[in-house]
Amino acid sequence: MGGAAGGPVGLVHLSYLMWFHNGAMANGAAWPLDYCTAEQIAAFTTAAVYFELDEIADLIGRLEPDDALSHEYRDLSSPFGEDASLIRDALRCKLVEAAQDWV
């Protein structure tokens, strides 16, 4: 699976963010180090920044092969035990703030 190559900018960023999130939740936060190109990892970071998820962007920039950041990522992305709740909230804000990015 990969991120969207084209389309509305909001959907492209959402695709990359969810690609990272789903992989991190299934395989641990370090999964991109073994399976993704540097450009794809940069796209994950760019997507997190687009959604103003700076702590997630920072975490992606600090990935380590030993997967020590998986628990930190789970705590960041899914506070209160709700999977991807932080991402859902950021998506709702971005849909209002930058509606033109979704058409």
Side-chain angles (χ1 to χ4, degrees), residues 69-91:
L69 299 174
S70 291
H71 284 84
E72 182 179 345
Y73 179 74
R74 285 189 182 102
D75 291 344
L76 282 173
S77 68
S78 306
F80 311 112
E82 293 183 38
D83 185 37
S85 59
L86 187 68
I87 295 170
R88 285 194 314 266
D89 291 346
L91 173 60

Side-chain angles (χ1 to χ4, degrees), residues 7-79:
V9 68
L11 289 177
V12 171
H13 288 308
L14 181 60
S15 174
Y16 277 105
L17 186 59
M18 292 311 298
W19 182 17
F20 175 78
H21 173 76
N22 290 331
M25 296 305 280
N27 305 305
W31 75 271
L33 297 176
D34 292 328
Y35 299 104
C36 297
T37 65
E39 292 80 17
Q40 290 166 327
I41 294 171
F44 299 151
T45 302
T46 300
V49 170
Y50 171 82
F51 283 102
E52 300 177 27
L53 297 171
D54 297 331
E55 291 177 334
I56 291 175
D58 176 66
L59 183 139
I60 294 169
R62 296 184 288 119
L63 293 180
E64 301 169 4
D66 66 2
D67 207 33
L69 299 174
S70 291
H71 284 84
E72 182 179 345
Y73 179 74
R74 285 189 182 102
D75 291 344
L76 282 173
S77 68
S78 306

